[in-house]
C-alpha cells in the first residue's frame, strides 16, 4: 500500500520521457486522488509547455521524507484553464531507493570522478563534484554532469583523518535535480577495497560524534 503522505503538494518533481532520449523536465506536484490520479503542473521548456500526449508513459521522480521515490505514470489528460495541469494515473507502487539503508550524514567533501568505461574519447573525462551526504553504503554527489543509471564510476576524495581515497568503485543508482543543481545517488560496490575501508572508518567516526557534521 502506498504511503500517501509522500505526495506533498508543492513538491518539486522531475518528469522523464520513457524513450531513448530520456528528456527530463521539472514540474511540481499539485495534488492527488488515491487509486485514481496524480496532478502535476504542466512542465515547460523555454517557457513553452512540453508535449504530453494522452496515453504516453513518463517516469516521475521526487524526494520526500528523506527518500527518493519514482514511478511510471500514464498521461490521462491535460487542461489549460485556469492553469495548465497534467493528470497522470495513480501508481500501483512506488520505487524507493536504498539511500536510507545505512545511516547517512550530511557532509561537504570535494571529490572528482570519471566513468569506469571510457565514454569520452581517448582520455577519460575527470569531473568535479561535492559529496553532500555519505554512509557506508553510498553517497549523494552534486555534479555538473549526470551519468545514466547503472554507470560505473571511480571516485577520488580526501577524508579527514583518513587521507586520500582513490578509485573508489561506485554505481549510479539515481539521478535528480533540485534548484537547478544535479545530483547522483551512488552505491559503493567494492567493500573489500582499501579506499572503502578508509571510508567506512570515516563514516563510523561520524556516527560516534555527539553532533553529526
Amino acid at each position: 500500500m502506498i504511503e500517501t503522505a509522500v505526495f506533498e503538494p508543492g513538491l518539486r518533481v522531475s518528469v522523464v520521457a520513457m524513450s531513448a532520449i530520456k528528456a527530463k523536465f521539472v514540474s511540481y506536484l499539485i495534488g492527488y486522488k488515491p487509486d485514481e490520479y496524480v496532478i502535476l503542473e504542466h512542465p515547460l521548456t523555454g517557457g513553452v509547455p512540453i508535449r504530453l500526449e494522452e496515453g504516453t508513459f513518463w517516469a516521475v521522480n521526487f524526494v520526500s521524507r528523506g527518500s527518493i521515490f519514482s514511478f511510471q505514470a500514464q498521461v490521462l489528460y491535460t487542461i489549460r484553464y485556469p492553469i495548465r495541469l497534467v493528470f497522470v494515473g495513480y501508481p500501483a507502487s512506488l520505487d524507493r531507493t536504498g539511500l536510507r539503508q545505512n545511516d547517512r550524514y550530511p557532509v561537504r567533501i570535494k571529490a572528482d570522478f570519471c566513468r569506469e568505461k571510457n565514454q569520452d574519447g581517448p582520455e577519460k573525462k575527470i569531473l568535479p563534484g561535492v559529496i553532500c551526504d555519505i554512509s557506508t553504503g553510498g553517497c549523494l554527489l552534486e555534479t555538473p554532469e549526470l551519468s545514466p543509471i547503472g554507470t560505473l564510476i571511480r571516485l577520488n576524495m580526501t577524508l579527514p583523518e583518513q587521507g586520500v581515497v582513490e578509485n573508489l568503485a561506485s554505481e549510479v543508482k539515481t539521478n535528480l535535480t533540485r534548484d537547478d543543481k544535479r545530483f547522483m545517488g551512488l552505491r559503493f560496490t567494492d567493500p573489500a577495497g582499501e579506499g572503502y575501508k578508509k571510508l567506512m572508518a570515516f563514516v563510523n567516526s561520524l556516527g560516534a560524534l555527539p553532533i553529526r557534521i
Side-chain angles (χ1 to χ4, degrees):
M1 184 176 180
I2 291 177
E3 182 186 355
T4 57
V6 303
F7 292 122
E8 304 172 53
L11 200 66
R12 183 187 177 102
V13 304
S14 65
V15 181
V16 184
M18 300 292 290
S19 65
I21 299 176
K22 300 291 183 185
K24 181 184 294 186
F25 307 94
V26 174
S27 180
Y28 293 88
L29 194 146
I30 304 300
Y32 63 93
K33 186 173 182 180
D35 301 320
E36 292 196 30
Y37 54 75
V38 174
I39 309 171
L40 304 176
E41 185 176 290
H42 200 130
L44 306 176
T45 179
V48 178
I50 68 170
R51 187 175 180 179
L52 289 170
E53 296 183 355
E54 294 181 10
T56 58
F57 284 86
W58 297 72
V60 178
N61 308 305
F62 60 94
V63 177
S64 178
R65 298 175 177 256
S67 295
I68 301 174
F69 295 90
S70 61
F71 65 95
Q72 291 187 16
Q74 183 179 25
V75 177
L76 302 178
Y77 50 93
T78 63
I79 63 172
R80 297 184 179 182
Y81 183 83
I83 59 175
R84 289 184 177 270
L85 298 175
V86 181
F87 290 73
V88 301
Y90 193 84
S93 62
L94 287 175
D95 258 351
R96 184 173 185 166
T97 65
L99 291 179
R100 292 289 178 184
Q101 290 177 352
N102 308 97
D103 285 339
R104 278 189 176 263
Y105 305 100
V107 293
R108 293 290 293 179
I109 299 173
K110 290 183 179 180
D112 61 60
F113 68 96
C114 66
R115 299 177 181 92
E116 192 165 282
K117 290 185 177 179
N118 193 347
Q119 301 174 3
D120 305 302
E123 297 183 0
K124 293 184 178 181
K125 184 192 293 185
I126 305 295
L127 292 170
V130 176
I131 296 173
C132 302
D133 67 36
I134 197 166
S135 75
T136 56
C139 67
L140 186 67
L141 180 71
E142 182 181 344
T143 171
E145 181 179 305
L146 296 176
S147 298
I149 292 173
T151 299
L152 302 178
I153 68 172
R154 294 282 178 171
L155 270 174
N156 304 301
M157 70 192 83
T158 300
L159 296 175
E161 306 298 327
Q162 299 299 323
V164 175
V165 173
E166 295 182 321
N167 295 318
L168 184 65
S170 310
E171 179 185 8
V172 178
K173 299 298 289 183
T174 56
N175 282 325
L176 65 148
T177 303
R178 280 190 229 144
D179 301 323
D180 298 323
K181 295 180 179 180
R182 300 174 180 85
F183 300 86
M184 297 191 301
L186 304 180
R187 178 176 67 87
F188 304 134
T189 58
D190 183 16
E194 197 61 36
Y196 180 78
K197 293 175 183 176
K198 289 184 179 181
L199 182 139
M200 189 163 65
F202 170 69
V203 174
N204 288 339
S205 73
L206 292 180
L209 294 175
I211 298 177
R212 296 175 180 177
I213 62 173

